Amino acid sequence: MIIAANFKTNHTRESTKEYIEKLNRYVSDLNSDDTVLVFPPSTALETFDLNDKISIGVQNAYATEKGSFTGEIGLEQIEEFGIKTILIGHSERRHVLGESQDEVVKKYDFYKSKGFKIVYCIGEPKEVREEGIESVIAYNFAQLEGIDISYENLIVAYEPVWAIGTGLTASNEQIEETLGLLKQKIKAPILYGGSVKVANTKEILDIKNCEGILVGTASWDVDAFCEMIGEARKIGRYL
Ligand code: PEP
């Protein structure tokens, strides 16, 4: 399984350091084979000395080695920390910050060419979900347009927009049906994301075709995130 934490615009450099140290101790003691990914804000990146099951990634980056892109970071800034993992296409970047599919594809192609592990997010808004499953699948497949889905370092995160940060989790039936249909096209591991918390981690990880979780809000508390990793360990289904 893959258990991922997205800090979004939360945690400072200091609190990230404390978080990562605690997480590292927990994962080392647990001796689990699950993969743990953490996406802190870029201001809190460091070269952490970590258990080999944990990787640090960036939440976003521009498709460039370096250059004149005010406010952005590129490959040179990321590689300084030995980071080789990136989150691309998160719904907040698409729907709040207006990132287009073309921009997402450019980032994907660039970081793919650099061999990065890419957690690529897709997910439909509420009005599409209300139209029914065919619209849901068409919308999610459109977000894969231009993306090489056979890339060996790809992980897809299915995150319905209406479930992100809202406390509303998709039902187990909705998750199972959607992942089953996505899996017909996507061979890469698929994570579910959208208001996952300690209390529903196990039932979500137990869903067929669910190969992990991408957690926002509930992951900001290190103890809660560790509990989720502990739940995955109990299932013991490794990728
Ligand atoms: C996310 O940001 O990817 C996410 C799933 O957020 P939350 O867990 O808060 O819904």
Side-chain angles (χ1 to χ4, degrees), residues 110-155:
F110 182 79
Y111 287 98
K112 179 191 153 206
S113 77
K114 304 296 174 192
F116 272 57
K117 180 180 280 189
I118 299 176
V119 178
Y120 184 79
C121 303
I122 57 176
E124 78 288 350
K126 191 162 177 278
E127 60 276 14
V128 174
R129 173 54 71 177
E130 284 167 356
E131 283 167 18
I133 189 67
E134 279 179 23
S135 299
V136 168
I137 295 304
Y139 190 96
N140 280 281
F141 281 172
Q143 291 189 321
L144 293 169
E145 258 164 40
I147 300 297
D148 172 13
I149 57 171
S150 63
Y151 177 45
E152 71 269 22
N153 290 327
L154 168 64
I155 297 163

Side-chain angles (χ1 to χ4, degrees), residues 6 8 90 92 159 163-166 193-196 214-218:
N6 176 14
K8 312 190 190 196
H90 190 277
E92 284 151 14
E159 302 203 296
I164 297 185
T166 57
S195 298
V196 179
L214 175 54
V215 190
T217 315

Side-chain angles (χ1 to χ4, degrees), residues 3 11 14 17 67 83 131 144 146 148 156 204 208 222 228:
I3 313 297
H11 278 295
E14 194 55 38
K17 201 160 171 277
I83 288 172
E131 283 167 18
L144 293 169
D148 172 13
V156 172
I204 290 173
K208 193 169 173 216
V222 65
M228 293 182 191

Side-chain angles (χ1 to χ4, degrees), residues 48-164:
F48 297 102
D49 184 18
L50 294 175
N51 181 290
D52 63 4
K53 291 290 158 208
I54 307 176
S55 298
I56 304 294
V58 287
Q59 297 174 19
N60 174 52
Y62 205 69
T64 189
E65 307 235 356
K66 59 181 182 174
S68 299
F69 305 101
T70 302
E72 297 284 343
I73 57 168
L75 184 70
E76 194 174 278
Q77 289 77 41
I78 299 169
E79 283 198 325
E80 188 177 11
F81 302 104
I83 288 172
K84 292 294 275 182
T85 303
I86 185 167
L87 196 62
I88 293 182
H90 190 277
S91 82
E92 284 151 14
R93 295 215 57 89
R94 292 179 189 267
H95 298 284
V96 181
L97 297 157
E99 209 164 281
S100 68
Q101 183 65 14
D102 279 357
E103 288 169 286
V104 169
V105 170
K106 269 190 209 136
K107 289 181 184 184
Y108 188 90
D109 285 346
F110 182 79
Y111 287 98
K112 179 191 153 206
S113 77
K114 304 296 174 192
F116 272 57
K117 180 180 280 189
I118 299 176
V119 178
Y120 184 79
C121 303
I122 57 176
E124 78 288 350
K126 191 162 177 278
E127 60 276 14
V128 174
R129 173 54 71 177
E130 284 167 356
E131 283 167 18
I133 189 67
E134 279 179 23
S135 299
V136 168
I137 295 304
Y139 190 96
N140 280 281
F141 281 172
Q143 291 189 321
L144 293 169
E145 258 164 40
I147 300 297
D148 172 13
I149 57 171
S150 63
Y151 177 45
E152 71 269 22
N153 290 327
L154 168 64
I155 297 163
V156 172
Y158 167 61
E159 302 203 296
V161 180
W162 48 275
I164 297 185

